[in-house]
Amino acid sequence: AAAAAVTPAASAICSRRRARRAARRHMSAVSAAGLLCGCLGRDAVPVLLSVTDCVMGLASGLTIKFFPIFLKTEAALPPSGVALVYCLVPLSLAVFTLVAQRVAAAVGRVQVMVANRFFGIALLYWIALHAELWGSWHVIVPVYIIRTSIMNCNYPLQRSILMDYVNRKHRARWSYIEALTSFAWSGSAAVGGLLIKRYDYQLVFYATATMQAAGWAISLLLLALVPRNDARMAEALSSSSKHKRGRTADSRRRSHTP
């Protein structure tokens, strides 16, 4: 009976030791990643996410407001056709978001975000390069729907990373920064309208894709800062923290014991 009682206790001690070792490895990995990324650490993750989101928002604002007009004038879609496209976009986005979350659980959130943005930017470059296909709605419409879905399905992943790396006391501040990004997105739409009026859609598509490529390059730094198995590491950190609190409470009780 004594041996049976000792076994669970020994197992619990071993589990806590493994959790502490995993937590130390995680912190060492973050520190090493910080050195590789120019002395950046865990605190840089929200900053990188916000800068990337701001650049992407400014770039998207140049074109996103004018895609309905583009589909109507260049792809020769009737108003009902344009409305149907914008009915299909949310459905496609829901599917892409679900798939992205499933894949992220296996390969990592940042990895999925980087891959999705790469393909989305490549599709926009493809649209800009093939102006002769703009009149073929059966080509442009599917490309547009896929491109829009693959770029926008990253938001839940980005939001989850931000919440993991921001202290609860400071989350309102970062939400305020996101609101400023939305304002900048609306302001860049005015610039996009002027460029389309003076030049054409092709130039604005190139400008949008190039700015998004710059934001994508910034997001590559997150690959070294956010581990793939972030949930497992977070669990290890939580277990380690609980163990430390429990050990502190035990020492306090012993110190007060007469």
Side-chain angles (χ1 to χ4, degrees):
V6 170
T7 301
S11 178
I13 294 173
C14 292
S15 299
R16 287 196 295 267
R17 288 177 178 174
R18 285 195 296 267
R20 289 197 297 272
R21 286 195 295 267
R24 286 194 293 268
R25 286 196 300 268
H26 170 69
M27 298 306 297
S28 299
V30 171
S31 301
L35 293 175
L36 292 174
C37 297
C39 299
L40 297 177
R42 182 183 179 91
D43 293 338
V45 173
V47 177
L48 291 174
L49 285 172
S50 297
V51 172
T52 302
D53 193 40
C54 182
V55 175
M56 289 285 185
L58 289 172
S60 299
L62 292 174
T63 56
I64 195 68
K65 295 284 189 178
F66 306 103
F67 259 112
I69 303 174
F70 169 80
L71 294 174
K72 183 177 182 298
T73 58
E74 301 295 334
L77 282 179
S80 59
V82 176
L84 180 60
V85 169
Y86 280 87
C87 287
L88 294 176
V89 166
L91 299 177
S92 175
L93 177 59
V95 174
F96 272 82
T97 301
L98 179 61
V99 173
Q101 291 176 353
R102 296 289 181 86
V103 177
V107 303
R109 292 173 292 181
V110 176
Q111 285 73 14
V112 172
M113 288 170 53
V114 168
N116 286 345
R117 285 171 174 166
F118 175 81
F119 287 113
I121 294 167
L123 286 176
L124 186 56
Y125 271 123
W126 185 89
I127 293 175
L129 284 169
H130 295 82
E132 70 278 2
L133 296 176
W134 290 358
S136 303
W137 66 267
H138 57 280
V139 176
I140 290 299
V141 168
V143 173
Y144 168 72
I145 293 176
I146 293 173
R147 187 257 168 194
T148 302
S149 301
I150 203 171
M151 289 294 288
N152 293 323
C153 70
N154 300 307
Y155 180 75
L157 300 177
Q158 179 175 321
R159 186 72 178 176
S160 67
I161 295 173
L162 183 64
M163 292 298 102
D164 286 346
Y165 283 84
V166 173
N167 191 289
R168 291 183 179 181
K169 297 179 181 179
H170 302 148
R171 287 179 181 176
R173 181 188 306 172
W174 291 101
S175 298
Y176 175 72
I177 295 175
E178 287 185 348
L180 292 178
T181 302
S182 301
F183 175 77
W185 178 80
S186 300
S188 65
V191 178
L194 293 175
L195 291 175
I196 291 173
K197 183 178 180 180
R198 185 168 183 177
Y199 300 100
D200 55 8
Y201 286 102
Q202 192 171 36
L203 175 65
V204 179
F205 288 161
Y206 278 126
T208 299
T210 303
M211 288 180 65
Q212 288 181 342
W216 176 81
I218 296 172
S219 69
L220 292 177
L221 297 173
L222 294 169
L223 290 170
L225 297 175
V226 181
R228 292 187 179 186
N229 55 344
D230 197 60
R232 188 175 301 173
M233 290 300 179
E235 183 179 355
L237 288 170
S238 177
S239 299
S240 177
S241 177
K242 290 179 181 178
H243 174 66
K244 288 181 179 179
R245 288 197 300 267
R247 188 169 55 186
T248 302
D250 291 340
S251 63
R252 288 177 179 175
R253 284 195 296 268
R254 285 194 297 268
S255 63
H256 289 291
T257 300

